[in-house]
Amino acid sequence: MFELVLKGGQVFWGDALIQADLAIDGSQIAAVGSNLKGKREIDVSARWILPGAVDAHTHFSLPFAGAVSADDFYSGSIAGACGGVTTFIDFTAQIGDEGVLDSLARRREQAEGLAAIDYSFHACIGRYSPKVVEQLPLLASHGVTSLKIFMAYGKSGLMQNDTGLLQILSSCRENGILVTVHAENGELIDHLTDQAAAANNLGIESLPMTRPVFTETEAIRRIADFSRYTGCKVYIVHVSSGEGARIIGEERQKGALITGETCPQYLYLDESRLAGANGHLWGCCPPIRSRQQQQLLWQRFACGDLAVVATDHCPFTTADKNTWENRITSLPMGLPGIETLPQLILNGVHREKISLQQAVKAISENPARIFGLYPRKGSLMPGTDADIMVYSPDCNQEISATKLHMKTDYSPYEGLQCRGCNEITILRGKVIFSRQDGWQGEKGGGQFVSRYSADADFFIKKGLPA
Ligand SMILES: [Zn+2]
C-alpha cells in the first residue's frame, strides 16, 4: 500500500503517454504501473501526468530602471506552482568586484524563507574580477554549475568584450561550468540607441530598430566561435528570432558546443503589439520580433535547434511601466511568464506546432538535464522527487490577468484562447496547488537544489537526444 496513488491517468513515460497509475511514498515517486493501491487515491482519469516544469530563467525581486520586478520569491513561487512549475533557476547579482560565492550566499539568503517551490541560481557576473577568478573553481562544489554573462549592456557595466569572453569560457571549461549567454551585440545596440536618442526617437517602436535581428545572430555566431576555440559549453538565453535558433542548430553541426532556449513571448507575440497605445507594456529585451521570425522560431524549435523554453519572468505593473516617459532607455524591461509557461507550450501541441514529447521535454527534462538537476527533477522515474503536474488536456481557457497570480495587473497574452490547463501541482509528494482548492503550499517550503554538470548530449552534433 502506497501513501498516495494518482489513479488511471496518462503518464508521460519514456517519450509518450501511457495508461498507468503513479504511486508516491514520502517525497518520492515509488512506482508506475497498473492497479497500484494507495492509502489516499486521486482519480486522474483523462488527465496527463507530467513531470513538474523547470523554469530555467526567472528574475524575482530584480531592480531595473528604478523599479523592482513585481514578484518576490514567494509570490513568484505561488504563480509558478499554479501553472505547474515546481523548480525555478534564478540569478545571483554581483555587487562591485565581489566573487561568485559572495553573490550566491546573499541571493540564497534572500530566497530562503520565501521560495515555496524548489530552486537554484545561475551565478551572474558583469566583472570578471580577481575575486571571481579565485572563487570560480569552488562554484560547482556549492551546487551551482552555470555562469551567466552578457554580450550587451555596456552602459550598465555588464558587457564582456572579446578578451573577457575568451578568459571566462577558458576558465569555465576548466572548472566544468556551463556558460549561459545573453547574446546581443551590445556595442551596436548602444550605437543605434544613441542615434535614436539624437533623433529624439526613443518611443517603443524604436526598440526593434535599435536591436535588429542581426545584433542577435552576430553575437550567437561569435560566441559559437569562442565555444569551438575553448571547448566550453554555452547556452544562449532568450533566443528571440527564428534566425537565431537556426544558427544555433547550424553552429552545433559545425562543432560548437552550443544550445539554447527561447521564451513564450517570442513564440506567441510579434512586434505589431508595440504599435498600440500601450505598446510599452510589451517591452522586453531582446524585443518581440516580426511575424515572420515568430513563425520561423516555431519551425526551428520543432526541428530541434533549441532544447528549452524558459520564461525570463520579469514582471512589472502598468504603473511601473508607465514611468518610462516615452523613452525606451528608462523603461523597465520584462514580461510576466512563469505561471503561463506550461499552458502556452502545451497549447503549441494542440496547435500542431510541436510534438507532445518536444513540449514536455522542453519545459522539464531538457532544462533539468542541461542544468544538472536530472533525474531528481524533470523525470517521473521511481526514486526521484515526486514533482508532478496533473494536466487536463481538454479544458479551454482564455488567458486573463485577473485569473493569474503573478503580481502584475496585465497579461501580454490577455484574451488568448488556450486548450489545456494545469489542475494539480505536487512538490516532493505534497499537493501544493489544485484548481479546486487553490494554493496549499508553504512559504519557505522550497529547497535549494544542488546541481551537477551539464549533460553533454545536448551540446554535440547529433542534435537533441532522442
Ligand atoms: Zn533574463
Side-chain angles (χ1 to χ4, degrees), residues 59 124 159 177 279:
H59 298 283
C124 184
M159 187 172 93
I177 301 290

Side-chain angles (χ1 to χ4, degrees), residues 396-411:
N396 286 300
Q397 251 189 13
E398 183 178 298
I399 293 190
S400 162
T402 57
K403 291 184 220 143
L404 293 169
H405 301 78
M406 296 174 283
K407 289 265 177 252
T408 178
D409 51 348
Y410 76 100
S411 167

Side-chain angles (χ1 to χ4, degrees), residues 57-59 62 91 148 150 182 237-238 261 285 311-314:
H57 191 158
T58 65
H59 298 283
L62 176 77
F91 296 82
K148 164 86 176 286
F150 298 83
H182 177 125
V237 297
H238 55 47
E261 79 191 11
C285 289
T311 64
D312 202 1
H313 176 84
C314 191

Side-chain angles (χ1 to χ4, degrees), residues 143-162:
V144 170
T145 50
S146 53
L147 187 74
K148 164 86 176 286
I149 58 167
F150 298 83
M151 296 171 80
Y153 298 126
K155 287 177 181 168
S156 8
L158 288 170
M159 187 172 93
Q160 299 302 329
N161 61 19
D162 287 350

Side-chain angles (χ1 to χ4, degrees), residues 57 147-149 151 169 178-184 216-217 219-225 227 233-241 244-245 247-249 251-252 256-263 286 305-310 370-371 459:
H57 191 158
L147 187 74
K148 164 86 176 286
I149 58 167
M151 296 171 80
L169 265 61
L178 170 64
V179 178
T180 73
V181 184
H182 177 125
E184 284 188 301
E216 177 172 79
T217 52
I220 292 172
R221 285 202 181 91
R222 183 151 43 100
I223 199 71
D225 272 330
S227 166
K233 295 185 188 77
V234 299
Y235 172 97
I236 311 298
V237 297
H238 55 47
V239 175
S240 64
S241 60
I247 288 166
I248 289 172
E251 294 291 346
R252 193 167 55 239
L257 308 173
I258 189 168
T259 188
E261 79 191 11
T262 187
C263 315
D305 287 343
L306 301 175
V308 173
V309 184
I370 288 171
F371 292 109
F459 300 87

